Structures are given as structure tokens and as C-alpha cells.
Amino acid sequence: ELRDALLASFGNQSLAGLKVLVSAGPTYEDIDPVRFIGNRSSGRMGFAVAAAAVQAGARVTLIAGPVSLATPAGVAQRIDVRSAAQMHAAVLSAAAQADIYIGAAAVGDYRPLEVSAQKLKKRDGTGLSLQLAENPDILASLSAQTAHPFLVGFAAETHDVASYAQGKLRHKGLDMIAANQVGDGLGFEAADNALTLYWADGMVELPRAAKPELARQLIAQVAERYRAARG
Amino acid sequence: ELRDALLASFGNQSLAGLKVLVSAGPTYEDIDPVRFIGNRSSGRMGFAVAAAAVQAGARVTLIAGPVSLATPAGVAQRIDVRSAAQMHAAVLSAAAQADIYIGAAAVGDYRPLEVSAQKLKKRDGTGLSLQLAENPDILASLSAQTAHPFLVGFAAETHDVASYAQGKLRHKGLDMIAANQVGDGLGFEAADNALTLYWADGMVELPRAAKPELARQLIAQVAERYRAARG
């Protein structure tokens, strides 16, 4: 109890001396100079994770998609990107220096195969077929490297969250995945979230809470798993 | 000169007694619960137009797509919508009461033909073809009605602005169109704008200025043309 009280008053420096890279927010994939494919990520969960990592003593680099959020106090570096390709390049570059990568961004899976340099004109009365190409997977790219940071992914799903998350953990070679159900006031564009964390031989539920509180709990679990795996 | 000075000090109530309907911002067309097709409109030009119409003495209804902007002081009613179909319905309903409609929203021309109730899963290694259907045109729908408000459209283009704008004026049966070049620090996501106004037998250039100032000039021109056509 004394230890808990001391940790609570002085802060839990569970990531002291570590470099943490966090990606946050959506990506926008341009169709033409005006239109784009986006997603509903507000960036709030990722920004809360970056803030919690700072509080836990880490040196934090934050790579953000198009969001309207202030950089959390104490973040060492913020890099703003727009597209999935830009986020892929920025994360792979910064990951070389990181001990832990937490991929909290909602990276677009697809981009238009061709980006028009001019605004596409509407042709009255006809539909349109938009050809999409798959974007490179950031976590899978990192996982494929011989030396890479401790990898934490997110899985935001509308259904079958647990099975998708555990599949993604194995398939992408992650160290941990944070799964959340989207909808009903949780997840994207919401103040609250609820996460289930999975790793190779364990799991823990983090019940519904405001994103900053949930981020602190997530960071505590990441620190514990990191120390167990690489400490 | 005395008249000008009085108007400047007391405000030019050029729209006193009139009901003005303004649409602003982008529309977002959902692909699934997470992804959508959007556009870069910030809503700032349309919100500035609504504010300028209030200053000119009008009773203003503002219909806004997904933006993060405060309602300008004095706006009588604000209706928030997300998709082009929702904006179409809201504008047509409100237009029955309006003397002037200024369509400053960047309404999506296309929506996904099918909206998935579940988040679409990525199928590794394959592309995707997204089938899009055309959205109903709000200004054309209004113009086709026997009785309709004085209609002001916007044409934001990356090239051939003048010819597209004049074509749109005739084709959609508008009373006035405000054309602007997008890009180079103007138009979408920018603080400044520059407009060229066209009507059946005239035009006027409003040179580059901050959006609130440009909106005041636009409203003055709309009031003059409205009085000439219907006054």
C-alpha cells in the first residue's frame, strides 16, 4: 500500500528510459484535389496513449494523420501526415529508433488506384467505378524486419472483435493487440472506449472508461509485457 | 457620400425582412460504419456567408455538413447533416420558406451504391472496386420547382473555372453563381478566397480577401441582384 501510494503521488515511471513511437488519427486517401476517402478516427485514443507514455517517463514521438488536436505536453516530436503511404514512410523511418511502437492510427486499407490531378467532373446520369489498391500494412512491414520495436496494434471492429484481433496478433506477428468494439458510444468519434488486450499467452479486459484513463491502463500493461519480453 | 457613411456606420441592412437559407461545409458519404468519402471543404466560406447575411438584416437558416465551426451569432436556426441525401432533404424542406438560397456547401457528387452495415474487411493482396451512384443535385432540384428562392450557387474548380461556372449557371437555372479557383492558398481549407460572380447578363470580380470580407461583398451583390430580379 505504501508502494502504491508512492507510485500514485510520484507517478509510475514504468517506461523511463524508453523511446515510444505512437501513430494516431485517420489517414485520408485523395481521389482528386478535392475529394478523399477518410475514416472516422478522431485521433483522441492515440493522443491519449502518447500523453500516457509521456507520463510513464518515455521519450515519445507522435505521428498524426489529419486531426484537429493539440500535441500533448511533453511529446518530444510530432510528425503530421495525410495519407497511409506517408504514415507508412514516417513510421518506418522513426521506428528504427524506437523501443516500442503503438499503432493507434486508423490507417486506410485502400487508396484510389489513380489520383486525378484535376477535380473529377460529374457526368450527369451515370455512376462511377472507383478502383482501389491495397495500402502496405505498417505493422506487418515492421514485423518482417529482423530488428524491430515491441509492436502493439489496435483492432477496431464492428463485429467479431475477439477473433479478428487474435488473428491479427498472430498474422502480423505483434507482441500485443488492443481490440475495441466500434459503436454504441465507444471507439471512433466518442469520448469513451473499452479495450481487450491480447498477447501470445494472455489477455486482460480494460472496461469502459474515458480515453485518457484507458490509455494509462494500456500503457501500464504495455510496460509490463515489454519488461517480460525484452526487459 | 453621406449615405455611404451612414450605411457604413449603422450597417447595410440590404437583406432586411428577407429569409436567407445557406448551406455550408462538406458532405460525407459512408462506405461502411468506419470509412467514408469526404471532401476538403472546411465550411468557413459558407459560415462567413451566413454571418454576413445576418449582418445584412436577414433571418438566416444554416444547414451544415460535418464541420467543427461555431454557429455565427444571430443565425436563427442551424441544422446539422452528414450525407448529400440528408443535405438535399434538409435544404428542400427549408427552401419552401426562403427568399434566397445560397448553396455554399461542397455536396458530394457521388455516394457508394451500397453502404455496408459492417466494416469491410481487407482481403490481402487484392484491390477493390467501389461502385458509386450519383447524388441528386440540390440546386437543380430547386430550380425545377415552379416557385423557388432566388438561387445562388458556388463553383469550386481546379481548372477552367469561368467556363464551368457559366455552364452551371445556365444548366441549373441559377440566378447567380460564385466561382472560385481552388488551390494556391485559396478556397478549400484556406483562410482567403477570391470569387467571380456571374449572372445572366453580368459579372463582377471580388479579388482575394479573407473569407468574412469576401462574404460581405458577396451578400451585397446578392442583395442588389435579388432586388433587381424580384424586388
Side-chain angles (χ1 to χ4, degrees):
Chain A
E1 283 175 18
L2 179 62
R3 179 177 166 277
D4 287 349
L6 283 169
L7 282 175
S9 63
F10 290 103
N12 180 353
Q13 295 287 294
S14 60
L15 294 179
L18 296 178
K19 291 175 183 153
V20 173
L21 177 63
V22 179
S23 63
T27 63
Y28 283 179
E29 312 299 319
D30 288 336
I31 299 171
D32 65 21
V34 173
R35 302 175 179 93
F36 60 87
I37 299 177
N39 68 64
R40 291 178 181 240
S41 169
S42 66
R44 278 190 282 179
M45 189 66 216
F47 275 57
V49 167
V54 168
Q55 284 161 25
R59 185 182 193 283
V60 175
T61 296
L62 173 60
I63 299 180
V67 296
S68 49
L69 294 174
T71 308
V75 164
Q77 189 187 14
R78 171 176 174 171
I79 301 165
D80 287 311
V81 299
R82 179 171 173 88
S83 69
Q86 290 167 355
M87 186 165 279
H88 187 271
V91 169
L92 262 70
S93 170
Q97 311 297 322
D99 300 297
I100 297 170
Y101 169 58
I102 304 175
V107 182
D109 291 326
Y110 295 100
R111 66 179 184 280
L113 197 57
E114 291 175 31
V115 180
S116 173
Q118 298 187 337
K119 183 182 170 190
L120 294 170
K121 299 307 300 174
K122 183 161 72 166
R123 284 162 300 179
D124 285 342
T126 59
L128 195 73
S129 179
L130 192 60
Q131 301 304 313
L132 305 177
E134 204 178 326
N135 282 322
D137 189 288
I138 296 173
L139 282 163
S141 297
L142 285 173
S143 175
Q145 297 178 343
T146 316
H148 59 74
F150 184 89
L151 297 176
V152 182
F154 271 74
E157 303 292 344
T158 50
H159 65 297
D160 297 338
V161 181
S163 68
Y164 278 126
Q166 290 171 298
K168 205 165 164 180
L169 178 79
R170 285 189 301 272
H171 178 61
K172 297 194 184 181
L174 308 184
D175 294 292
M176 182 187 273
I177 194 157
N180 67 314
Q181 181 93 29
V182 175
D184 296 326
L186 296 176
F188 288 170
E189 297 179 330
D192 283 8
N193 207 351
L195 297 174
T196 308
L197 310 184
Y198 299 93
W199 53 95
D201 54 0
M203 65 165 286
V204 64
E205 301 237 18
L206 306 182
R208 180 172 182 156
K211 287 178 177 177
E213 171 53 28
L214 206 60
R216 279 189 288 275
Q217 296 178 29
L218 169 65
I219 285 294
Q221 293 290 335
V222 168
E224 194 175 321
R225 298 311 312 157
Y226 175 83
R227 300 293 180 193
R230 306 203 177 186
Chain B
E1 280 172 20
L2 178 61
R3 180 178 166 276
D4 287 351
L6 283 170
L7 283 175
S9 62
F10 290 103
N12 181 352
Q13 295 287 296
S14 60
L15 294 179
L18 295 178
K19 292 176 184 153
V20 173
L21 176 63
V22 179
S23 63
T27 63
Y28 284 179
E29 311 300 319
D30 289 335
I31 299 171
D32 66 21
V34 173
R35 303 175 179 93
F36 62 87
I37 299 177
N39 68 64
R40 292 179 181 240
S41 170
S42 66
R44 279 190 281 179
M45 190 66 215
F47 274 56
V49 167
V54 168
Q55 284 160 26
R59 186 180 192 283
V60 175
T61 297
L62 174 60
I63 299 179
V67 297
S68 48
L69 294 173
T71 308
V75 164
Q77 189 188 15
R78 171 176 174 171
I79 301 165
D80 287 310
V81 299
R82 178 172 174 88
S83 69
Q86 289 167 355
M87 186 166 279
H88 187 271
V91 169
L92 262 70
S93 170
Q97 312 297 325
D99 299 297
I100 298 171
Y101 170 58
I102 304 176
V107 182
D109 292 325
Y110 295 100
R111 67 180 183 281
L113 196 57
E114 292 175 30
V115 180
S116 174
Q118 298 188 336
K119 183 181 169 191
L120 294 170
K121 298 307 300 175
K122 185 161 70 166
R123 284 162 300 180
D124 286 342
T126 60
L128 195 72
S129 179
L130 192 61
Q131 301 304 315
L132 305 178
E134 202 177 327
N135 283 322
D137 189 287
I138 296 173
L139 282 163
S141 296
L142 285 173
S143 174
Q145 297 178 343
T146 315
H148 58 74
F150 183 88
L151 298 176
V152 182
F154 271 73
E157 302 292 343
T158 51
H159 66 294
D160 298 337
V161 182
S163 67
Y164 278 126
Q166 290 171 298
K168 206 165 163 179
L169 178 77
R170 283 190 300 272
H171 179 60
K172 297 194 184 180
L174 308 183
D175 294 291
M176 183 187 271
I177 194 159
N180 67 314
Q181 181 92 29
V182 174
D184 296 327
L186 295 176
F188 288 170
E189 296 180 330
D192 284 6
N193 207 350
L195 297 174
T196 307
L197 309 184
Y198 299 93
W199 54 94
D201 54 0
M203 65 164 286
V204 63
E205 301 238 16
L206 306 182
R208 179 172 182 154
K211 286 177 177 176
E213 171 53 29
L214 206 60
R216 279 189 287 276
Q217 296 178 29
L218 169 65
I219 285 296
Q221 293 290 334
V222 167
E224 194 175 323
R225 299 309 313 156
Y226 175 83
R227 299 291 180 194
R230 306 204 177 186

